[in-house]
């Protein structure tokens, strides 16, 4: 039922929010122009000289940038893969638990880390992985010599990936738990009558039933291939682990602000945004096509 | 009451000091008819506490400056020192640079960038016409060497401070351990003597850990606590310095052959358990310092000011005390020490600042007040100092300065002051003391030495200024000067990874994971991975 | 069916272990914060405090800055949640209409999604905030992120599930869309609105980066920004450019028991709202993520 009067109301309701987006999101987007210029603050964004793709060429020529892109891919893809495997396994395991009070307690506890900030967790994990921290104390009992995990290039990535999984697996499992709850109990009973054991029930009933959700979540995760987690790495890294831990976002921040390479860092950021944009578009197209998923 | 006595004594001396011949610029103290406001930015001091009603822009010093020359300061922002450059960067983009701000010597490239962008004021005339005698006199003690990096085409583009010398690492020993094992501090001279001391200390006190060493950087350069660089210097290597050889060529000091000798000694000591076995793990958070204050370390290398860091030792270990020596010495009996880069911090002024000369005049007044060259100002300052936490203000007075972070001193201020204190404490002579605040401190140290427990707060000053500072310019100290100490074009890109390589190699050799012979491979790799480029750049800059 | 077998016990044990692992960092931080400084630095603390003392917490109370920053964060959360939630509620309603009823709907939607996928970067955004005169005010922490496209979509999807017949009868009675939103949608969507309000709260409480960029003075700094500044590790290069006194002060500030205590206290608000969060977020999340 369309009515012009209602439409005026609808538009009026959108005005303030859209205004905020225009001011704080759309207008700054024009700033990416400095990626194609040699931005000199004294001359301003428009007055600086146009240099075309110079900064993009430099980006691909620099070994440092290539390494940052590699770090980003390794960390982000590992997180994506593990953040599907672990929550799915956990959801299945939790579904098998028959002691209901314990189930509730476990659920309460595993969702909590999702709501804690990386600033706080950064302090806590620095304690845990420090030379005198819990990890070294426990491994020491097994004769492993203590190490400085947070500043070692052989362990930093592992810590980043592991702690991220730790923080998000519980929350990520919610969606799979919901999918499992939707499974018709009769299917399980039928399987039990056929003599299926626990393992077979998981393999032949549970997993196939949540297959669609798993595929959908994997597709949607595609858009995050260049998002390795700025907040986490920013609060946990140090110059000693730049070789393995520096990602595009942290690199853009350091280049753009600390080292004042405004144009170059904008170019790197634009490169990342561009690729991410394509990937997200692709992932939603796929999700729409195969899972009938739409975000709006 | 005691405080008042101190102040009046300090004042008496200030009057006598005022007789110093003044050669100030003609308009050094000229007053403005209309109020001039200078904007500035600051690095936070987390311990700062102002008396009720006071703030960064309204305190004893800003009121004095307003009163004398009608200049006010406005702090636009203040952040943690690690965030300072980031904020400044945003100001550069937004075109909102403050009128004045300071940078460190390591920020040389930022200075170059500001200069190339035409954002800095030419200070030549402002300085010439307005610097007071103290600014000129301290600058003269560096023979103008520190002006060079901040002079462009003959024009002075910033006001640098000379980085004063004598902050090299010295060997700190535990005098109580020396006594227990029957040795005397004067006997500790050579590498072998140090080894004997460490060995006997370990035998007599099995719980101690030997020599405390820096966790990640055991062989670095000037003024870095826990770096064992004196051991490298005694063998003729100067880690981290760009050194001019006898043939005029430029070399990176960490590649010199003496490094191998030093690493041989350190690796040997580590293998014998004479070095804190867990030293590489004490990263950050003052953990190595904790080893020294908890009484576990028998020795460590640190600059004179480490005295303030060790004040808790006697609280933790009954009867523990420290002594400082110039060891190790070479065959000629010399203790070899590095001299720092000529320039320290620099004060820069925005090109759009309407009154660059006001910045210089503010600087004049800061020292007139803090050093007590103006007696009334000194009285005001002491009053405020006592309302505040005096120990805090003594440690971080530059925070109060509108031109914060810049510290004008004589090149030899460290030993001069120490000698002055010795003369005062031992003979009652005030001649060697340059200001009332120095007199106040000397009195405190004297009382502390006399065992007055209410002067316990001077323990740090005693160790630092009386014990360690005194021998910084001993006759057998020989200085090594850096050939170049600013950054170059490629340094920011190349140096971090080279530094990591160097630190890793040094650590691995000390820990015995690599043999000393692997050092040659490191040298080759260092040069191949960009070190040669840097060497060439610096050689070119120096016209070699 | 109800009898527990060995495999059930194994599952129980594994899940209990997983739950415990989720608490390890928090338990460890609590133990450290209640321990003696030296014992903590020397690594003697696991889950039980060594030489129990509360001096770290006393220091926090004494040091005014922590609670000042705490207060700034509270103000930020209050403003951020009320503005953010109001905007989402108001926008989600027209967006839940089909393009046939609200022709501009898809244009708005594309614009919103575009801002979610693409941004102009730090420096241009900084310049906008600066030119609006928001630098160093609480508004610089609240306004730039005021519109959460994600939350709006979650709420919009919920609205779509509300039967149109409810609205139609009201329309016939002559109610305008604003009245319908207030009378029909908001009461029905209470749980969803509460969910996004809580999510917004957690976001504003945990966010530290805006405080780092937009805030200039300590008295305006939010809590997470303040805490992030504490855990900064010093690089050799930074140390070289600092005066000895600065380094000593800096190291004295980065103190493991004190920092752990600050981390624990700053978690408290999240812990307080967590039970409510848990009640709401399961439905909210599932609704937003997979629409049936």
């Amino acid at each position: 039922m369309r009515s012009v009067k209602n439409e005026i109301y609808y538009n009026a309701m959108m005005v303030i929010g859209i205004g905020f987006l225009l001011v704080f999101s759309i207008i700054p987007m024009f700033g990416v122009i400095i990626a194609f210029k040699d931005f000199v603050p004294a001359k301003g964004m428009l007055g600086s000289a146009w240099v075309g793709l110079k900064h993009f060429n430099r980006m691909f020529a620099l070994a440092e940038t290539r390494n940052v892109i590699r770090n980003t891919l390794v960390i982000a893809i590992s997180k994506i893969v593990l953040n599907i495997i672990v929550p799915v396994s956990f959801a299945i395991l939790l579904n098998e638990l028959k002691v209901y009070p314990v189930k509730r307690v476990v659920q309460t506890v595993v969702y909590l880390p999702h709501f804690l900030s990386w600033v706080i967790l950064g302090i806590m994990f620095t304690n845990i992985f420090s030379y005198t921290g819990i990890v070294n104390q426990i491994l020491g009992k097994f004769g492993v010599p203590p190490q400085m995990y947070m500043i070692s290039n052989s362990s930093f990535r592992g810590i980043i990936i592991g702690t991220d999984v730790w923080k998000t697996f519980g929350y990520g499992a919610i969606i799979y738990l919901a999918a499992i709850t939707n499974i018709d109990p009769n299917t399980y009973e039928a399987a039990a009558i056929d003599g299926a054991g626990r393992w077979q029930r998981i393999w032949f009933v549970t997993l196939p039933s949540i297959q669609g959700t798993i595929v959908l979540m994997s597709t949607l995760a595609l858009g995050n291939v260049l998002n390795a987690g700025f907040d986490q790495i920013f609060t946990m890294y140090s110059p000693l682990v730049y070789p393995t831990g520096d990602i595009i976002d942290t690199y853009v921040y350091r280049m753009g602000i600390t080292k004042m390479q405004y144009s170059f860092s904008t170019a790197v950021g634009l490169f990342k945004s561009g690729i991410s944009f394509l990937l997200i578009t692709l992932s939603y197209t796929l999700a729409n096509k195969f899972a009938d998923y739409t975000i709006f | 009451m005691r405080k008042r006595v101190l102040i009046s004594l300090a004042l008496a001396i200030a009057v006598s000091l005022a007789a110093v011949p003044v050669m100030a610029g003609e308009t050094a103290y000229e007053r403005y008819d209309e109020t001039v406001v200078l904007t500035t930015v600051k690095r936070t001091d987390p311990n700062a506490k102002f008396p009720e009603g006071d703030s960064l822009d309204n305190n004893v010093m800003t009121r004095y400056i307003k009163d004398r020359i009608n200049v006010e300061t406005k702090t636009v922002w203040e952040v943690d020192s690690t965030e300072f450059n980031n904020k400044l960067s945003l100001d550069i983009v937004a075109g909102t640079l403050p009128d004045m701000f300071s940078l460190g010597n390591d920020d040389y490239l930022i200075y170059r960038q500001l200069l190339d962008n035409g954002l800095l004021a030419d200070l030549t005339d402002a300085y010439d016409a307005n610097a007071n005698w103290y600014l000129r006199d301290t600058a003269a003690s560096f023979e103008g060497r520190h002006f060079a990096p901040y002079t462009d085409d003959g024009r002075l583009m910033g006001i640098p401070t000379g980085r004063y010398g004598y902050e090299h690492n010295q060997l700190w020993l535990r005098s109580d351990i020396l006594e227990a094992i029957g040795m005397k501090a004067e006997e500790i001279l050579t590498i072998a003597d140090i080894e004997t001391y460490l060995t006997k200390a370990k035998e007599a006190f099995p719980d101690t850990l030997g020599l405390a060493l820096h966790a990640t950087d055991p062989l670095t350069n000037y003024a870095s606590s826990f770096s064992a660089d004196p051991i490298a210097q005694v063998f003729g290597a100067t880690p981290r310095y760009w050194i001019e050889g006898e043939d005029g060529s430029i070399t990176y000091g960490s590649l010199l052959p003496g490094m191998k000798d030093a690493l041989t000694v350190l690796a040997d000591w580590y293998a014998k358990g004479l070095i804190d076995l867990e030293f590489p793990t004490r990263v950050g958070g003052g953990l190595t310092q904790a080893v020294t204050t908890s009484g576990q370390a028998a020795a460590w290398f640190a600059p004179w000011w480490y005295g303030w860091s060790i004040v808790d030792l006697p609280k933790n270990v009954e009867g523990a005390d420290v002594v400082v020596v110039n060891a190790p010495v070479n065959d000629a009996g010399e203790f070899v020490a590095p001299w720092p880069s000529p320039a320290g911090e620099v004060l820069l002024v925005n090109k759009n600042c309407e009154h660059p000369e006001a910045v210089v005049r503010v600087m004049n007044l800061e020292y007139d007040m803090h050093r007590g060259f103006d007696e009334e100002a000194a009285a005001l300052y002491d009053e405020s100092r006592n309302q505040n936490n005096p120990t805090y203000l003594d440690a971080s007075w530059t925070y109060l300065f509108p031109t914060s972070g810049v510290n004008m001193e004589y090149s030899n201020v460290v030993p001069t002051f120490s000698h002055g204190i010795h003369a005062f404490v031992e003979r009652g002579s005030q001649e060697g003391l340059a200001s009332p605040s120095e007199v106040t401190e000397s009195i405190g140290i004297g009382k502390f030495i006399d065992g007055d427990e209410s002067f316990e707060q001077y323990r740090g000053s005693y160790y630092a200024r009386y014990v360690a500072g005194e021998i910084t310019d001993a006759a057998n100290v020989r200085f090594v000067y850096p050939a170049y100490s600013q950054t170059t074009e490629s340094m920011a890109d190349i140096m971090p990874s080279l530094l990591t390589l160097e630190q890793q190699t040094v650590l691995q050799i000390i820990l015995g994971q690599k043999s000393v012979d692997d050092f040659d491979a490191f040298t080759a790799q260092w040069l191949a991975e960009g070190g040669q480029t840097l060497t060439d750049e610096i050689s070119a800059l120096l016209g070699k | 069916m109800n009898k527990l077998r060995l495999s059930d016990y194994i599952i129980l044990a594994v899940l209990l272990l997983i739950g415990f692992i989720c608490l390890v960092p928090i338990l460890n931080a609590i133990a450290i914060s209640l321990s003696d400084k030296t014992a903590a630095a020397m690594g003697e603390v696991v889950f039980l405090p060594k030489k129990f003392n509360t001096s770290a917490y006393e220091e926090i109370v004494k040091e005014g800055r922590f609670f000042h920053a705490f207060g700034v964060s509270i103000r930020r959360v209050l403003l951020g949640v009320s503005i953010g939630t109001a905007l989402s509620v108001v926008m989600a309603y027209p967006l839940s209409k089909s393009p046939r009823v609200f022709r501009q709907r898809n244009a708005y939607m594309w614009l919103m999604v575009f801002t979610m996928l693409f941004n102009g970067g730090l420096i241009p955004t900084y310049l906008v905030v600066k030119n609006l005169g928001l630098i160093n005010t609480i508004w610089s922490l609240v306004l730039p992120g005021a519109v959460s496209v994600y939350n709006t979509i979650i709420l919009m999807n919920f609205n779509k599930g509300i039967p149109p017949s409810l609205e139609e009868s009201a329309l016939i009675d002559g109610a305008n869309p604003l009245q319908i939103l207030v009378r029909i949608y908001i009461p029905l969507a209470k749980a969803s609105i509460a969910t996004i309000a809580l999510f917004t709260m957690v976001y504003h409480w945990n966010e530290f980066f805006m405080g780092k960029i937009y805030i200039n003075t300590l008295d305006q700094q939010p809590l997470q920004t303040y805490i992030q500044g504490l855990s900064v590790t010093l690089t050799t290069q930074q140390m070289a450019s600092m005066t000895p006194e600065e380094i000593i002060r800096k190291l004295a500030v980065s103190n493991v028991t004190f920092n752990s205590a600050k981390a624990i206290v700053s978690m408290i608000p999240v812990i307080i709202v967590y039970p409510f969060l848990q009640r709401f977020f399961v439905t909210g999340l599932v609704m937003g993520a997979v629409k049936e």
Side-chain angles (χ1 to χ4, degrees):
Chain A
M1 210 177 8
R2 204 180 94 206
S3 100
V4 177
K5 191 197 85 176
N6 286 355
E7 265 186 339
I8 293 172
Y9 269 98
Y10 293 151
N11 279 303
M13 289 164 114
M14 295 302 293
V15 148
I16 301 178
I18 294 294
F20 272 114
L21 288 180
L22 282 177
V23 171
F24 293 108
S25 299
I26 304 289
I27 291 178
M29 284 182 200
F30 293 101
V32 298
I33 194 171
I34 64 171
F36 306 96
K37 292 186 161 205
D38 259 342
F39 177 56
V40 176
K43 292 183 189 161
M45 286 197 180
L46 296 174
S48 299
W50 186 267
V51 294
L53 295 178
K54 175 183 151 187
H55 299 295
F56 293 90
N57 294 334
R58 178 167 170 232
M59 175 175 110
F60 292 114
L62 269 185
E64 189 180 37
T65 325
R66 288 202 303 269
N67 185 47
V68 162
I69 295 174
R70 187 168 47 238
N71 287 341
T72 309
L73 288 173
V74 170
I75 293 173
I77 294 175
S78 312
K79 281 182 177 178
I80 289 172
V81 171
L82 287 172
N83 277 330
I84 289 166
I85 296 177
V86 177
V88 168
S89 320
F90 172 75
I92 292 173
L93 208 57
L94 196 68
N95 186 53
E96 295 295 318
L97 184 65
K98 301 204 182 86
V99 191
Y100 292 97
V102 175
K103 195 168 182 169
R104 195 155 323 129
V105 171
V106 170
Q107 269 177 302
T108 304
V109 168
V110 297
Y111 301 156
L112 179 64
H114 175 78
F115 297 96
L116 303 179
S117 76
W118 276 119
V119 172
I120 294 173
L121 294 176
I123 290 179
M124 294 180 174
F125 283 121
T126 308
N127 290 344
I128 286 183
F129 291 106
S130 76
Y131 187 78
T132 50
I134 300 188
V135 172
N136 272 321
Q137 290 181 39
I138 292 172
L139 291 180
K141 299 225 161 74
F142 298 99
V144 181
Q147 280 160 49
M148 293 170 282
Y149 295 103
M150 290 291 270
I151 54 167
S152 147
N153 279 305
S154 54
S155 52
F156 184 74
R157 266 186 206 157
I159 290 181
I160 288 298
I161 296 162
T163 54
D164 186 70
V165 171
W166 173 90
K167 188 179 195 287
T168 51
F169 83 91
Y171 191 73
I174 293 177
I175 198 158
Y176 301 108
L177 281 170
I180 293 174
T181 325
N182 282 340
I183 300 172
D184 187 351
N186 294 331
T187 332
Y188 282 115
E189 272 163 38
I193 289 162
D194 289 347
R198 183 196 299 275
W199 186 241
Q200 280 149 326
R201 266 185 290 132
I202 292 174
W203 194 249
F204 292 110
V205 180
T206 316
L207 263 179
S209 308
I210 60 170
Q211 195 184 5
T213 313
I214 296 176
V215 172
L216 176 62
M217 296 313 283
S218 315
T219 318
L220 294 182
L222 195 62
N224 281 328
V225 162
L226 290 180
N227 278 330
F230 175 83
D231 283 9
Q232 178 192 22
I233 293 185
F234 189 74
T235 46
M236 287 166 84
Y237 81 159
S238 61
L240 292 174
V241 290
Y242 285 168
T244 55
D246 199 13
I247 56 166
I248 296 178
D249 291 335
T250 51
Y251 181 69
V252 166
Y253 171 76
R254 282 205 325 281
M255 282 291 141
I257 306 292
T258 316
K259 292 198 171 176
M260 304 182 188
Q261 302 207 13
Y262 305 113
S263 287
F264 177 67
S265 77
T266 307
V268 179
L270 183 62
F271 166 77
K272 188 208 150 183
S273 290
I275 303 279
S276 293
F277 188 78
L278 289 179
L279 286 172
I280 292 171
T281 314
L282 176 71
S283 76
Y284 281 96
T285 314
L286 287 176
N288 188 310
K289 201 163 179 186
F290 298 109
D292 218 11
Y293 173 92
T294 48
I295 46 162
F296 59 86
Chain B
M1 271 318 272
R2 195 187 307 114
K3 272 172 192 157
R4 190 155 309 158
V5 177
L6 282 182
I7 292 166
S8 39
L9 182 54
L11 276 179
I13 287 156
V15 177
S16 67
L17 284 167
V20 173
V22 175
M23 331 162 282
E26 296 143 41
T27 54
Y29 296 100
E30 203 168 278
R31 193 185 151 85
Y32 293 91
D33 294 333
E34 274 179 45
T35 306
V36 169
V37 179
L38 295 174
T39 55
T40 186
V41 293
K42 293 238 166 157
R43 295 167 181 83
T44 302
D45 184 334
N47 300 321
K49 277 195 191 74
F50 287 102
E52 190 66 28
D54 273 16
S55 68
L56 262 183
D57 296 328
N58 177 20
N59 56 55
V60 61
M61 190 161 274
T62 61
R63 285 191 293 266
Y64 169 61
I65 291 167
K66 163 89 176 154
D67 195 43
R68 283 290 305 271
I69 57 171
N70 201 13
V71 173
E72 287 178 6
T73 53
K74 185 170 177 295
T75 308
V76 190
W77 48 258
E78 63 163 323
V79 288
D80 194 89
S81 55
T82 50
E83 284 298 314
F84 186 86
N85 290 354
N86 295 345
K87 279 278 178 204
L88 196 69
S89 172
L90 290 169
D91 269 356
I92 294 174
V93 187
T96 53
L97 266 188
D99 287 332
M100 57 182 183
F101 53 97
S102 64
L103 288 179
N105 191 45
D106 271 7
D107 303 323
Y108 193 68
L109 283 183
I110 300 178
Y111 158 75
R112 295 290 325 181
Q113 206 162 357
L114 289 163
L115 184 70
D116 295 344
N117 267 317
L119 296 171
L120 297 179
D122 176 351
L123 297 173
T124 319
D125 301 333
Y127 185 84
D128 281 349
N130 295 286
N132 72 356
W133 71 271
Y134 180 73
L135 299 192
R136 288 166 200 274
D137 215 28
T138 47
S141 76
F142 290 92
E143 292 152 8
R145 278 181 299 140
H146 60 306
F147 283 133
Y150 296 100
T151 303
D152 183 59
D153 220 2
R155 309 300 290 174
L156 185 64
M157 302 309 288
I159 305 176
T161 62
R163 191 168 177 200
Y164 55 82
Y166 304 98
E167 296 200 293
H168 51 266
N169 281 343
Q170 302 162 290
L171 183 61
W172 294 65
L173 304 166
R174 289 272 298 280
S175 48
D176 53 320
I177 293 184
L178 276 166
E179 201 176 331
I181 61 178
M183 290 181 84
K184 289 198 169 64
E186 307 87 79
E187 296 169 7
I188 313 280
L189 290 170
T190 63
I191 299 259
D193 296 337
I194 302 175
E195 183 169 336
T196 313
Y197 165 78
L198 291 172
T199 314
K200 286 190 177 175
K202 191 88 187 171
E203 284 163 6
F205 301 93
D207 285 347
T208 58
L209 301 173
L211 180 74
L213 210 53
H214 192 282
T216 53
D217 231 356
L219 281 179
T220 177
N221 59 7
Y222 190 68
S224 311
S225 308
F226 317 123
S227 155
D229 58 286
I231 296 182
Q233 276 130 24
V234 83
F235 290 116
T238 318
R240 303 288 161 80
Y241 269 37
W242 296 92
I243 295 291
E244 187 173 336
E246 277 167 22
D247 59 347
S249 65
I250 300 297
T251 321
Y252 184 60
S254 303
L255 305 185
L256 291 170
M259 284 291 279
K260 277 176 84 168
D261 302 316
L263 287 169
T264 311
V265 169
L266 290 173
D268 179 46
W269 287 0
Y270 188 80
K272 289 175 179 162
L274 302 180
I275 291 176
D276 172 15
L277 288 177
E278 292 187 0
F279 83 88
T281 67
R282 306 194 198 275
V283 179
L287 292 184
T288 315
Q289 186 189 336
V291 172
T292 65
T293 53
S294 67
Q296 290 167 293
W300 60 91
F301 290 100
W304 67 278
W305 44 257
Y306 197 74
W308 281 288
S309 305
I310 193 72
V311 288
D312 284 342
L313 175 65
K315 283 181 215 156
N316 293 332
V317 182
E318 183 77 32
D321 210 350
V322 292
V323 64
V324 184
V325 294
N326 284 334
V329 297
N330 60 20
D331 295 338
E334 294 168 326
F335 177 74
V336 188
W339 188 266
S341 65
E345 302 90 21
V346 61
L347 185 75
L348 301 176
V349 177
N350 186 344
K351 192 187 65 177
N352 297 327
C353 173
E354 282 176 35
H355 294 285
E357 77 288 344
V359 175
V360 183
R361 291 180 199 173
V362 165
M363 255 187 166
N364 295 338
L365 292 174
E366 289 170 346
Y367 291 94
D368 282 356
M369 175 174 243
H370 182 261
R371 300 301 151 91
F373 304 135
D374 174 342
E375 53 181 280
E376 280 172 42
L380 287 170
Y381 185 82
D382 275 338
E383 193 186 310
S384 166
R385 175 181 172 275
N386 291 329
Q387 280 173 11
N388 280 281
N389 168 3
T391 15
Y392 154 66
L393 253 193
D394 293 345
S396 56
W397 43 271
T398 50
Y399 183 63
L400 209 61
F401 281 26
T403 64
S404 67
V406 178
N407 178 3
M408 298 284 179
E409 290 291 358
Y410 290 95
S411 63
N412 58 353
V413 58
V414 173
T416 306
F417 188 12
S418 290
H419 300 331
I421 297 170
H422 273 263
F424 181 84
V425 170
E426 282 144 27
R427 302 193 301 277
S429 156
Q430 294 155 6
E431 276 170 25
L433 300 172
S435 69
S437 59
E438 293 192 1
V439 175
T440 314
E441 193 163 350
S442 304
I443 296 170
I445 292 173
K447 296 269 186 193
F448 172 79
I449 294 172
D450 292 343
D452 187 335
E453 277 178 19
S454 55
F455 282 78
E456 175 65 25
Q457 71 187 71
Y458 283 92
R459 178 181 287 279
S461 299
Y462 164 74
Y463 287 144
R465 298 206 192 276
Y466 192 86
V467 177
E470 176 68 7
I471 59 166
T472 48
D473 69 341
N476 70 334
V477 179
R478 180 167 69 79
F479 287 101
V480 184
Y481 297 87
Y484 184 82
S485 25
Q486 276 73 44
T487 35
T488 70
E489 199 63 40
S490 315
M491 210 176 264
D493 292 334
I494 300 177
M495 206 59 196
S497 60
L498 290 184
L499 211 53
T500 314
L501 175 70
E502 178 185 334
Q503 288 172 339
Q504 279 174 355
T505 311
V506 164
L507 269 177
Q508 285 169 333
I509 293 179
I510 295 176
L511 298 178
Q513 296 166 359
K514 273 189 178 171
S515 93
V516 177
D517 295 330
D518 291 330
F519 193 79
D520 300 331
F522 155 72
T523 311
Q525 195 186 351
W526 192 92
L527 288 169
E529 289 184 1
Q532 190 61 51
T533 313
L534 297 181
T535 313
D536 294 344
E537 271 181 5
I538 291 169
S539 302
L541 277 166
L542 296 173
K544 302 286 176 194
Chain C
M1 197 64 194
N2 278 335
K3 231 172 65 190
L4 296 181
R5 285 176 300 169
L6 176 66
S7 60
D8 286 310
Y9 286 109
I10 293 174
I11 289 170
L12 178 67
V14 170
L15 283 169
L16 284 176
L17 183 70
I18 290 174
F20 179 69
I21 287 173
C22 284
L23 290 178
V24 162
I26 301 166
L27 295 175
N28 179 241
I30 294 175
I32 289 176
S33 70
L34 291 170
S35 293
D36 176 69
K37 238 189 232 181
T38 327
M42 286 306 183
E44 293 163 13
V45 183
V46 184
F47 298 122
L48 290 175
K50 274 268 157 66
K51 298 187 193 161
F52 180 90
N53 73 80
T54 54
S55 65
Y57 291 91
E58 284 157 27
E59 261 180 86
I60 290 182
V61 176
K62 252 189 282 168
E63 189 202 62
R65 273 195 64 196
F66 180 88
F67 281 107
H68 191 88
F70 201 97
V72 172
S73 277
I74 297 273
R75 266 197 300 148
R76 173 185 182 171
V77 164
L78 291 177
L79 285 171
V81 169
S82 39
I83 294 175
T85 314
L87 284 172
S88 289
V89 168
V90 172
M91 291 171 87
Y93 169 65
L95 288 174
S96 67
K97 301 291 140 211
S98 82
R100 269 166 298 148
V101 180
F102 179 22
R103 282 168 301 176
Q104 296 80 10
R105 187 252 179 202
N106 280 0
Y108 286 125
M109 207 65 231
W110 279 113
L111 183 91
M112 290 174 72
V113 171
F114 186 64
T115 63
M116 200 159 69
L117 301 183
F118 206 78
N119 69 73
L122 187 58
I123 289 161
T125 316
Y126 174 84
L127 291 177
V128 167
V129 175
K130 175 116 203 162
N131 289 332
L132 290 172
L134 303 180
I135 294 295
N136 208 32
T137 65
I138 189 102
W139 300 107
S140 67
L141 306 175
V142 173
L143 298 185
V147 177
S148 164
V149 177
Y150 186 79
N151 285 345
T152 309
I153 292 177
I154 288 183
L155 211 53
M156 173 192 86
N157 283 340
F158 178 86
N159 286 346
K160 280 185 179 172
I162 294 175
S165 54
L166 285 176
E167 179 176 356
E168 274 155 21
S169 60
L171 276 173
I172 291 163
D173 289 346
N176 67 41
L178 202 60
Q179 291 165 323
I180 291 171
L181 170 67
V182 175
R183 288 194 210 138
I184 300 174
Y185 280 82
I186 293 182
L188 284 172
K190 254 190 293 191
S192 297
I193 294 171
T195 312
I196 65 160
L198 287 171
F199 273 100
T200 312
M201 188 222 113
V202 173
Y203 164 77
H204 276 294
W205 186 260
N206 285 346
E207 205 279 335
F208 72 95
F209 195 71
M210 286 163 123
K212 220 174 156 69
I213 301 295
Y214 300 139
I215 295 302
N216 286 340
T217 52
L218 305 176
D219 59 334
Q220 294 287 338
Q221 218 176 37
L223 188 62
Q224 300 287 333
T225 310
Y226 164 67
I227 294 184
Q228 199 270 331
L230 297 175
S231 48
V232 177
T233 47
L234 291 179
T235 63
T236 344
Q237 241 176 344
Q238 285 167 340
M239 283 195 168
S241 66
M242 289 161 83
T243 65
E245 285 93 354
E246 271 181 319
I247 296 174
I248 293 168
R249 276 204 307 275
K250 187 84 207 170
L251 292 180
V253 170
S254 98
N255 153 347
V256 64
T257 53
F258 200 24
N259 287 354
S260 299
K262 284 175 177 163
I264 297 296
V265 178
S266 69
M267 269 170 52
I268 290 175
V270 174
I271 303 285
I272 290 175
V273 299
Y274 182 63
F276 302 98
L277 262 174
Q278 209 199 343
R279 206 163 74 214
F280 291 130
F281 68 62
V282 177
T283 46
L285 177 93
V286 173
M287 259 173 340
V290 266
K291 206 161 54 71
E292 283 143 48

